[in-house]
């Protein structure tokens, strides 16, 4: 059996390389690519080959080109936009969404740990690892996030208010489940998220102070 083996075109190889960067999250949706000349120099390829590769990626819907240059397409908007609309129109589904994420992300983390090799674990130790601190609130406690995005106003059935403050970079209010004597009730939780190097100690400070004191966030 005989046949002709054709070498892969350089433009195809460039397109595959850029596509991998997009799918791996190195190039993010909305991010602007370098100008054609600079990108060709960085990749050490000719401008005509790079131009062909960019055209292929634009045909696949991964890139968009306009007056402002070439950007990574927001190709996931077809999934995220309808989801955001559903959550906005039906707030009661938010609890179900976070419950789904908790189950899925836990499974994904477990599989990643099982399938990791020495190189993967070394790379993880060398970068910042995410953390999440959760503070469960009693059912009936209301919580609202202040404009500074780091303070939360808490109010119980008595109406008395307390400020929760943290120096964590991301503070949010999320649905939670409160179980007491076999009874399950929906409640809220405060979640403080951030990232820290795995080879150093990290401290996240938080405190409660009565509402109405000087320095309350607005």
């Amino acid at each position: 059996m005989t046949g002709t083996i054709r070498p892969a075109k350089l433009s195809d190889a460039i397109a595959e390389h850029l596509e991998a960067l997009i799918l791996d999250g190195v190039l993010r949706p909305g991010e602007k690519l370098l100008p054609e000349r600079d990108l060709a120099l960085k990749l050490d390829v000719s401008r005509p080959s790079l131009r062909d590769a960019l055209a292929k990626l634009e045909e696949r819907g991964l890139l968009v080109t306009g007056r402002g240059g070439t950007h990574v397409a927001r190709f996931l908007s077809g999934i995220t936009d309808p989801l955001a609309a559903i959550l906005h129109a039906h707030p009661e589904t938010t609890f179900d969404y976070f419950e789904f994420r908790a189950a899925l992300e836990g499974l994904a983390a477990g599989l990643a740990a099982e399938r990791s090799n020495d190189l993967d674990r070394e790379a993880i130790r060398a970068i910042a690892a995410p953390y999440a601190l959760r503070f469960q609130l009693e059912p009936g406690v209301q919580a609202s996030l202040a404009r500074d995005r780091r303070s939360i106003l808490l109010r119980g059935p008595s109406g008395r208010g307390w400020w929760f403050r943290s120096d964590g970079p991301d503070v949010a209010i999320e649905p939670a489940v409160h179980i007491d004597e076999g009874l399950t009730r929906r409640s809220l939780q405060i979640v403080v998220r951030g990232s820290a190097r795995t080879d150093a100690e990290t401290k996240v400070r938080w405190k409660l102070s009565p509402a109405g004191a000087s320095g309350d966030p607005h």
Side-chain angles (χ1 to χ4, degrees):
M1 181 177 180
T2 60
T4 301
I5 300 177
R6 298 181 178 179
K9 293 179 61 177
L10 178 58
S11 60
D12 291 336
I14 299 171
E16 290 179 4
H17 175 69
L18 292 175
E19 182 175 353
L21 294 179
I22 293 172
L23 298 181
D24 289 343
V26 178
L27 294 175
R28 298 181 177 277
E31 183 173 343
K32 182 179 179 180
L33 300 186
L34 292 173
E36 183 181 287
R37 178 180 179 182
D38 296 337
L39 186 56
L41 289 174
K42 184 174 182 179
L43 298 177
D44 193 20
V45 297
S46 66
R47 293 180 66 178
S49 295
L50 174 62
R51 195 174 300 120
D52 289 344
L54 297 179
K56 295 177 189 293
L57 294 178
E58 190 168 359
E59 290 178 0
R60 299 175 193 173
L62 295 177
L63 294 178
V64 290
T65 301
R67 292 184 177 180
T70 301
H71 295 74
V72 179
R74 301 185 183 277
F75 52 91
L76 293 178
S77 60
I79 300 175
T80 57
D81 289 352
L83 177 60
I86 290 174
L87 295 177
H88 178 73
H90 305 280
E92 66 276 8
T93 63
T94 303
F95 177 82
D96 299 326
Y97 170 67
F98 281 111
E99 189 175 44
F100 163 76
R101 280 191 54 180
L104 184 62
E105 292 173 2
L107 176 61
L111 290 175
E114 291 177 6
R115 298 174 181 178
S116 64
N117 54 36
D118 291 340
L119 291 177
D120 294 330
R121 289 187 286 272
E122 184 63 28
I124 292 173
R125 283 191 289 267
I127 62 175
Y131 65 80
L133 304 178
R134 302 178 185 274
F135 300 84
Q136 184 86 32
L137 302 178
E138 290 288 333
V141 174
Q142 300 177 349
S144 57
L145 188 63
R147 293 181 182 178
D148 65 357
R149 311 296 296 180
R150 292 192 178 186
S151 304
I152 293 179
L153 179 60
L154 305 174
R155 290 194 183 278
S158 66
R160 184 178 181 184
W162 292 83
W163 282 110
F164 173 95
R165 295 183 176 90
S166 172
D167 60 0
D170 182 23
V171 180
I173 304 168
E174 296 181 1
V177 174
H178 181 86
I179 301 177
D180 185 17
E181 297 182 354
L183 298 178
T184 301
R185 300 172 61 186
R186 295 189 177 187
S187 60
L188 297 173
Q189 62 179 341
I190 298 173
V191 183
V192 180
R193 290 188 174 89
S195 60
R197 293 195 61 87
T198 57
D199 57 357
E201 183 181 8
T202 299
K203 294 182 179 180
V204 179
R205 295 173 295 182
W206 63 275
K207 68 176 182 178
L208 284 174
S209 57
S214 58
D216 283 354
H218 297 287

